Amino acid sequence: MLLTSRIARTAIALTSVAALAACGDKAPGAATPAAPTTAAPSPAVSVAPSPGQTPEVVEAPATPVATPTVAKTQRRVQIYSGPAAGPLSPPPDQGRGSTIVQLNGTASADIGTYVADGQGRTLYRFDKDSAKPPRSTCNGDCAKTWPPLLIHSPGQIYPSGINPQLVGYVERADGTCQVTIGGWPVYRFAGDKARGDIKGQGVGGTWFAINPTGGRTKPLPEVVAVPTAAAR
């Protein structure tokens, strides 16, 4: 009986550690992925020829592009000081989020500057959530319509046009980690099909594209109907 009880307690403890590690607590032996780097193309340099010779073109040494630095760390998730120096190729999402997330400040004439993910999908905030403390209330069927933007640790977040100190994550009820901006959990909208779509703007009076500081963007302008000739 005593042995069974100890085994049960051990299993519960291991399960708890695994759940925390999945969201950001450091697991023993886990490595943080290296930041992607790139080098600028080598400009061609012409060498002056001797009389009667063809000009010689010599490749100049490549100039490395500065790699963004880590501005903030939340457990095993690193938030960088700007966009990645090279193309991002995160591994496939296994349902718990990607290990690499890009956030981009995006200008809109209709709603002002909002934040999109690396694929250009608009990110939204939900007024029924909270930022202080960060808390997500959209679960179950709600999360099917409004999929949360998840980060899986060890992970990296690269914000462009957003203060990295405002970026982080919050643990959801299912143990996954949802990206936050200004403390607000961020979501995509299932109704947005193309890059730049903002069809979720103002839905239910509670969903709005999030701006770079975590606030609401302005509502879509009202469409004023033009009277037809018959109505005149």
Side-chain angles (χ1 to χ4, degrees):
M1 186 70 175
L2 180 59
L3 179 59
T4 303
S5 177
R6 287 178 178 173
I7 293 173
R9 286 198 300 270
T10 301
I12 292 171
L14 290 174
T15 301
S16 300
V17 170
L20 288 170
C23 192
D25 277 355
K26 189 165 185 179
T32 300
T37 58
T38 187
S42 302
V45 178
S46 296
V47 178
S50 301
Q53 291 183 331
T54 303
E56 181 183 0
V57 177
V58 179
E59 292 292 328
T63 303
V65 175
T67 301
T69 58
V70 176
K72 176 182 175 182
T73 299
Q74 186 175 349
R75 295 181 182 174
R76 286 197 299 154
V77 174
Q78 297 176 323
I79 296 100
Y80 283 79
S81 57
L88 298 176
S89 299
D93 186 343
Q94 300 298 323
R96 301 191 68 82
S98 171
T99 56
I100 299 176
V101 168
Q102 176 77 50
L103 302 173
N104 297 317
T106 307
S108 166
D110 290 329
I111 65 172
T113 302
Y114 66 94
V115 181
D117 68 8
Q119 287 70 50
R121 294 172 293 191
T122 303
L123 298 176
Y124 298 87
R125 49 165 276 174
F126 184 33
D127 284 354
K128 294 183 180 180
D129 287 348
S130 67
K132 296 180 180 180
R135 183 170 65 94
S136 172
T137 61
C138 179
N139 300 292
D141 289 340
C142 175
K144 294 177 182 177
T145 303
W146 302 92
L149 178 64
L150 303 177
I151 178 74
H152 185 64
S153 66
Q156 301 165 342
I157 303 176
Y158 294 89
S160 177
I162 303 123
N163 182 346
Q165 298 300 330
L166 297 178
V167 177
Y169 70 82
V170 63
E171 185 172 354
R172 291 173 54 80
D174 61 2
T176 57
C177 300
Q178 184 172 1
V179 175
T180 59
I181 299 174
W184 288 96
V186 297
Y187 306 80
R188 304 184 184 104
F189 177 49
D192 287 344
K193 302 301 181 184
R195 189 183 190 93
D197 277 355
I198 49 174
K199 296 177 182 178
Q201 184 71 348
V203 169
T206 55
W207 290 93
F208 293 88
I210 194 165
N211 71 27
T213 61
R216 285 181 173 191
T217 48
K218 62 185 180 181
L220 285 167
E222 294 185 7
V223 178
V224 180
V226 178
T228 61
R232 297 193 191 103

